[in-house]
Amino acid sequence: MAEIVYPPVVLAAKTMFRVLDNRLRVTGTEHVPRSGGAVIACNHVSYLDFIFCGLGAQPAKRLVRFMAKKEIFDNRIAGPLMRGMHHISVDRAAGKASYDEAVDRLRSGEVVGVFPEATISRSFTVKPIKSGAVRMAADAGVPVVPMALWGTQRLWTKGRPRTLTKRHVPIHIHAGEPFRPTPDDDPDLLTGQLRTRMQEILDELQAGYPDRPADEDDRWWLPAHLGGTAPTPEEAAELDARGRARD
């Protein structure tokens, strides 16, 4: 398929990050296959994660097709960009069609990106994840690459104002060792293992992160178990439940 939109968007993003000196650090890129289909399963702490997760595959010269909710495609500004980059629209009322499209893309040799937590983690830990990443990889016969990123929540996350022009924010991305599910595997067991690996990678990124909160009010971007004031996983789950009830 023609790539008219995606390369300029990637170039614009890289230029912006250089201007803002976001100190982007990408590691583990040897684990992203240079050819053939693959599922990238990434944690989710920011509205911008699809940009950075995609950049995590750039050293392998791969363009990631993200699964994203239909409402984004319906937006008059974001929609044309999402379609131009050939991302995959997910209609919750017709989820099988989106799943089948993703499997077809994988079988044709593309990289599909998913955020298996489904929504942003307010606790900045890995929430319980859905089994779709493992199941589609098994159906397509491709590997799953666990990935985690850290620092993006400081730019724009749920419940906080956007600070897209904030300078000198380190953004760290790491791709872990892939594994290849098969149709004979227990998808729930493998999904649990995937979540564990994603959290381990996130723990490593958090431990090696060069910045610390500037003051007491700045502790919001750290998880509670690291001394931050982000909600605990239990508190975050309650906040999510209240949000769903309002919707």
Side-chain angles (χ1 to χ4, degrees):
M1 63 182 74
E3 299 295 351
I4 300 173
V5 177
Y6 215 143
V9 169
V10 171
L11 179 61
K14 288 181 175 179
T15 300
M16 182 182 74
F17 301 145
R18 282 197 296 270
V19 169
L20 296 176
D21 187 27
N22 283 144
R23 292 186 279 169
L24 191 66
R25 180 172 178 260
V26 184
T27 54
T29 56
E30 69 276 10
H31 293 137
V32 179
R34 266 49 180 177
S35 62
V39 175
I40 291 181
C42 190
N43 72 315
H44 201 8
V45 294
S46 164
Y47 291 109
L48 304 174
D49 288 341
F50 72 95
I51 298 174
F52 292 98
C53 179
L55 289 177
Q58 279 288 297
K61 303 187 186 308
R62 304 304 303 271
L63 297 177
V64 183
R65 315 300 178 181
F66 286 97
M67 301 186 74
K69 60 185 180 180
K70 177 179 178 293
E71 289 79 1
I72 299 177
F73 287 79
D74 292 338
N75 182 279
R76 65 184 183 86
I77 297 175
L81 289 174
M82 297 295 283
R83 288 186 288 274
M85 289 185 282
H86 307 295
H87 294 314
I88 302 169
S89 175
V90 178
D91 185 346
R92 293 174 182 173
K96 186 177 185 305
S98 305
Y99 179 91
D100 289 345
E101 181 181 353
V103 171
D104 287 343
R105 298 280 195 95
L106 292 167
R107 287 173 176 161
S108 69
E110 295 205 59
V111 177
V112 172
V114 298
F115 296 103
E117 296 166 276
T119 58
I120 289 173
S121 171
R122 298 173 188 262
S123 67
F124 306 140
T125 61
V126 179
K127 298 165 56 175
I129 66 175
K130 299 183 181 297
S131 62
V134 166
R135 290 189 294 107
M136 67 175 63
D139 285 347
V142 303
V144 176
V145 179
M147 183 178 285
L149 42 78
W150 185 242
T152 60
Q153 79 282 8
R154 298 177 65 188
L155 301 178
W156 188 16
T157 193
K158 188 176 289 187
R160 300 288 305 187
R162 282 176 290 184
T163 54
L164 301 182
T165 58
K166 187 176 178 65
R167 294 175 57 82
H168 313 307
V169 174
I171 308 292
H172 289 186
I173 306 160
H174 182 77
E177 186 174 351
F179 64 95
R180 187 180 290 267
T182 73
D184 294 329
D185 291 325
D186 181 343
D188 292 330
L189 177 62
L190 284 187
T191 297
Q193 294 173 352
L194 172 60
R195 182 192 180 198
T196 296
R197 185 57 188 135
M198 290 168 62
Q199 183 62 59
E200 289 173 347
I201 297 172
L202 180 58
D203 289 341
E204 292 167 5
L205 294 183
Q206 290 170 340
Y209 195 67
D211 272 11
R212 291 294 179 266
D215 51 41
E216 187 70 17
D217 292 338
D218 197 38
R219 290 170 55 217
W220 65 267
W221 57 264
L222 274 184
H225 72 275
L226 292 180
T229 55
T232 65
E234 296 76 19
E235 291 168 341
E238 178 61 27
L239 289 170
D240 288 342
R242 291 177 192 169
R244 288 192 297 270
R246 286 194 298 269
D247 295 340

